[in-house]
Amino acid sequence: MQWPLKKIIDSIRQYNLLEVELQGEIGEEKERFIIPLFPRKKKLTIWDLERIFMHASKSPNVRAILIKIRDLEIGLGRAEAIRRGIAELRESGKRVFIYLESPGNLEYMIGSAAERIFIPPWSVLNLIGLKAEVTFFKEALDKLGIEAQIRGLGEYKSASEIFTRKTMSEPHRDMMDSIIDDLYRQFVKYIAQSRGVDEERIKSLIDLGPFLPIEALEGGLIDELVYENNLEERIGEILSFRIRKIRAENFLRILDVKETFRRIMQKIEGNPGTIALVSDSGMIMLGESRSSGGTKMLGSQTLIRTLRAIASDKNIKALVLRISSPGGSGVASDLIWYQLKVISEKKPVVVSMSDVAASGGYLIALGAKKIVAEAMTLTGSIGIISGKFNLKDFFTKLGVTKDMVVRGKRALMFSSYEKFTKDEEEKLNEIIRVFYEDFIKKVADARGMDFKSAEQLARGRVWTGRQAKEIGLIDEIGGIKEAIRIAKEEIGIPEGVSPIIKFFPSPRGIYLMPLSRGFASITRISFLRDFLQSLKRETVFALMPFWIKVK
């Protein structure tokens, strides 16, 4: 059915080129109110991009898409989702052009999916391959007089190693080799397929990087050297028609209006079903979600409150939960898992994994009926860590002493002024073992495995999404759109019929996002600080042991 409003909207602006600008962080959640002293243009989310690409592929007005990519601060999962969206646009017959201002590995992997790649004449193409760096703090802690008494169960659960070792253990290195090797294979394959070049040729080119603009051009890695001011003129020459541009933000506003009108009409004609899309990210912790030093903390109470509201809403027939988290608090992760499991017994729940959904993030996902991840998502890390930092020597260096009066044999067990006694270490090991085995049992029950098989896939090991699909830890490879498709099937919505997608949570309050690349280091420091503070409050953590950042 052609809504009358569509004709009105289209008559307002007869555009033929959609322009999308991507820079910095592309979040999973909508930004909250930014105070007037720091005004910023509203940023697109990954779901916004999914919607824009999906509707652009069907729009007769949109004949071409120009995507300008500047320095991005996203992970491989989100990069893969954007790249797939570009590929699907081209499959639908749209002409897609990419402008890369200062491309690194990540930006180029995305851009390679386009028909033609432009870079400015003085832009170096930093296509140099992937690496994994792990920072160890043991010597620094030794100099400060701080002893890390952190325990992990599972030989790959290496979160404790950054405090207790100077280099990777063999299992840690084997795991990192496996992850980087798989990511690199996928990285090379994507570029080779898009550029129509043999994979070995791409590998040899990567070994020659970084590339001067003329070298990138001669090597077939890019198509033209063009200043941004001349892009529209050049694209007009290629397409042989006069460009009439619409920006992505305005295109999205039109979609919002259309969607509002469609909801009204569907309520009149009969609603085929509403699917809730919940997006949450950050280190998992007890309490309310919050922002700290440029990092987002996923609070159990905040998310559970949203999940309960969805469970009680009779109009919502299914739930898609988008997760981006390396884990965190074991208690908080388990509470969210249980709430998701309760909902999944009443209505279909599908989890969509972003850059990372590991350890506690993976535990949460086990409450869903289906799990979808990007091929480059980091997941798994099924294991537990616990412990404390002994600060006694550090306090002594500062001239600080403590005197205590205690009752109870283990009253000082988690004191930062005493080492674990042998008896306390045995108790700690028992705690870790019990929760580790419960984690594995949850994996076995959710994934239809026996305990022994699940344990072989656990041991704290991190997997890529592609590996996780092969070994049965997830169900499908894809993004939000794939998760929604599965949810549609589960509630019986026929193909070709679009459900209403209700996004949660609604932005509110003041939330300052990072304003520059300099916040990347602050984010890591804040993450470490929050982990250390959480150790004072909690005993058990389900936390992925490292970050992988591709530039």
Side-chain angles (χ1 to χ4, degrees):
M1 177 179 179
Q2 291 289 326
W3 306 121
L5 184 63
K6 182 181 184 300
K7 295 180 180 179
I8 297 172
I9 292 172
D10 288 345
S11 67
I12 295 172
R13 183 78 181 270
Q14 290 297 326
Y15 48 83
N16 54 29
L17 177 88
L18 172 63
E19 181 182 276
V20 182
E21 288 198 48
L22 303 177
Q23 183 174 12
E25 173 76 7
I26 303 173
E28 296 289 351
E29 304 151 75
K30 294 183 184 297
E31 287 187 336
R32 299 180 191 175
F33 172 71
I34 305 299
I35 58 178
L37 293 176
F38 300 95
R40 288 173 61 212
K41 185 174 70 175
K42 180 184 175 183
K43 286 199 168 189
L44 299 173
T45 66
I46 289 295
W47 175 233
D48 288 336
L49 288 176
E50 291 259 20
R51 291 176 61 207
I52 288 168
F53 290 162
M54 183 168 51
H55 287 275
S57 68
K58 300 173 184 176
S59 172
N61 282 45
V62 178
R63 297 174 62 183
I65 298 93
L66 168 61
I67 304 176
K68 298 178 180 179
I69 300 179
R70 310 184 201 280
D71 194 23
L72 293 177
E73 292 291 338
I74 62 175
L76 283 167
R78 283 175 288 176
E80 192 174 12
I82 297 169
R83 186 192 179 283
R84 182 178 56 251
I86 294 170
E88 290 174 353
L89 281 169
R90 293 190 63 189
E91 288 171 6
S92 72
K94 305 299 180 181
R95 309 285 295 274
V96 185
F97 304 91
I98 293 282
Y99 172 76
L100 302 176
E101 190 168 78
S102 182
N105 293 300
L106 195 84
E107 291 84 3
Y108 185 75
M109 186 189 82
I110 297 171
S112 67
E115 172 185 328
R116 192 166 295 209
I117 301 173
F118 304 107
I119 69 170
W122 270 40
S123 181
V124 174
L125 174 58
N126 285 301
L127 182 63
I128 56 175
L130 310 184
K131 67 174 180 179
E133 290 184 354
V134 181
T135 302
F136 294 88
F137 299 94
K138 185 181 187 307
E139 288 192 340
L141 294 178
D142 287 345
K143 290 177 181 179
L144 293 170
I146 299 173
E147 180 187 9
Q149 294 190 290
I150 310 296
R151 307 283 189 273
L153 193 55
E155 66 266 41
Y156 297 103
K157 199 64 177 177
S158 51
S160 61
E161 289 186 5
I162 65 173
F163 306 114
T164 60
R165 293 179 59 91
K166 300 177 184 179
T167 59
M168 298 182 203
S169 64
E170 282 305 309
H172 190 177
R173 185 173 293 279
D174 288 345
M175 176 175 64
M176 297 303 295
D177 277 336
S178 174
I179 292 170
I180 293 299
D181 188 50
D182 190 57
L183 293 176
Y184 187 64
R185 280 201 302 267
Q186 294 184 62
F187 178 76
V188 169
K189 182 179 179 181
Y190 282 149
I191 296 172
Q193 288 178 343
S194 298
R195 300 301 292 176
V197 181
D198 182 79
E199 289 184 25
E200 291 304 315
R201 167 66 176 161
I202 293 298
K203 288 180 183 178
S204 64
L205 283 172
I206 289 173
D207 289 341
L208 297 174
F211 298 90
L212 291 167
I214 192 64
E215 291 174 332
L217 188 62
E218 291 173 349
L221 293 170
I222 65 166
D223 298 288
E224 292 188 43
L225 303 178
V226 180
Y227 285 108
E228 185 176 1
N229 288 356
N230 302 326
L231 274 174
E232 289 182 34
E233 180 183 353
R234 180 66 189 114
I235 292 172
E237 291 172 356
I238 295 169
L239 298 176
S240 300
F241 59 73
R242 181 173 171 270
I243 297 297
R244 294 189 299 274
K245 180 176 69 176
I246 183 171
R247 293 182 59 81
E249 295 78 8
N250 293 330
F251 188 77
L252 189 62
R253 290 189 187 100
I254 293 174
L255 294 183
D256 288 339
V257 172
K258 289 180 179 179
E259 186 67 20
T260 299
F261 185 74
R262 188 170 71 87
R263 287 174 185 166
I264 295 170
M265 294 303 298
Q266 284 187 341
K267 285 181 180 179
I268 296 172
E269 298 173 355
N271 184 358
T274 297
I275 296 175
L277 173 58
V278 178
S279 182
D280 215 339
S281 60
M283 180 175 168
I284 301 166
M285 63 182 299
L286 288 168
E288 300 291 338
S289 296
R290 62 183 175 85
S291 175
S292 174
T295 64
K296 164 73 167 53
M297 310 301 289
L298 192 165
S300 57
Q301 290 181 14
T302 304
L303 180 53
I304 288 172
R305 188 163 54 247
T306 299
L307 294 177
R308 285 174 177 167
I310 290 168
S312 62
D313 191 331
K314 295 181 180 179
N315 293 320
I316 295 176
K317 307 301 182 184
L319 163 65
V320 172
L321 175 61
R322 176 77 166 176
I323 299 174
S324 181
S325 175
S329 163
V331 178
S333 300
D334 186 64
L335 290 173
I336 298 168
W337 163 81
Y338 180 75
Q339 187 62 52
L340 209 61
K341 188 172 183 295
V342 168
I343 297 175
S344 66
E345 293 170 356
K346 299 177 181 178
K347 54 186 73 176
V349 178
V350 182
V351 160
S352 170
M353 295 179 168
S354 181
D355 298 336
V356 56
S359 206
Y362 183 72
L363 174 57
I364 289 173
L366 294 174
K369 186 170 185 179
K370 296 283 185 179
I371 303 174
V372 180
E374 301 289 354
M376 288 182 159
T377 294
L378 297 180
T379 189
S381 192
I382 302 161
I384 299 294
I385 64 170
S386 187
K388 68 177 181 180
F389 287 86
N390 178 17
L391 306 179
K392 187 171 184 177
D393 289 345
F394 175 66
F395 287 141
T396 300
K397 288 183 178 183
L398 296 178
V400 177
T401 59
K402 287 188 178 184
D403 201 359
M404 292 168 280
V405 177
V406 300
R407 297 292 185 275
K409 181 180 177 182
R410 295 174 181 159
L412 297 178
M413 182 168 175
F414 292 103
S415 168
S416 60
Y417 201 66
E418 298 290 341
K419 295 182 65 170
F420 285 125
T421 65
K422 185 176 180 180
D423 172 71
E424 289 168 347
E425 285 187 338
E426 290 175 355
K427 184 61 180 180
L428 184 65
N429 290 337
E430 180 189 353
I431 291 170
I432 295 172
R433 178 185 58 78
V434 168
F435 285 114
Y436 176 62
E437 290 178 355
D438 186 63
F439 196 165
I440 294 173
K441 186 178 184 302
K442 285 180 168 69
V443 174
D445 291 343
R447 304 307 302 168
M449 302 176 183
D450 58 60
F451 185 90
K452 185 176 180 181
S453 298
E455 201 278 331
Q456 287 299 310
L457 303 178
R459 299 180 291 165
R461 181 157 190 160
V462 178
W463 308 90
T464 66
R466 190 198 65 79
Q467 292 171 330
K469 172 69 166 63
E470 286 187 351
I471 61 180
L473 291 180
I474 68 166
D475 297 289
E476 299 289 344
I477 296 293
I480 300 174
K481 192 164 68 173
E482 179 69 13
I484 289 174
R485 181 192 65 77
I486 293 172
K488 277 180 57 179
E489 291 177 355
E490 292 290 332
I491 58 178
I493 296 179
E495 188 175 346
V497 177
S498 298
I500 293 173
I501 307 298
K502 188 173 181 181
F503 190 88
F504 293 84
S506 299
R508 63 180 184 272
I510 297 175
Y511 175 42
L512 297 178
M513 294 288 287
L515 302 175
S516 69
R517 288 191 64 188
F519 270 79
S521 58
I522 294 174
T523 296
R524 288 189 285 272
I525 294 169
S526 298
F527 189 94
L528 179 61
R529 181 203 63 204
D530 288 322
F531 171 61
L532 298 181
Q533 289 178 343
S534 296
L535 276 174
K536 299 176 183 178
R537 301 188 300 269
E538 300 182 51
T539 305
V540 177
F541 284 82
L543 183 65
M544 192 177 81
F546 54 81
W547 294 268
I548 290 182
K549 182 180 179 182
V550 175
K551 286 304 295 177

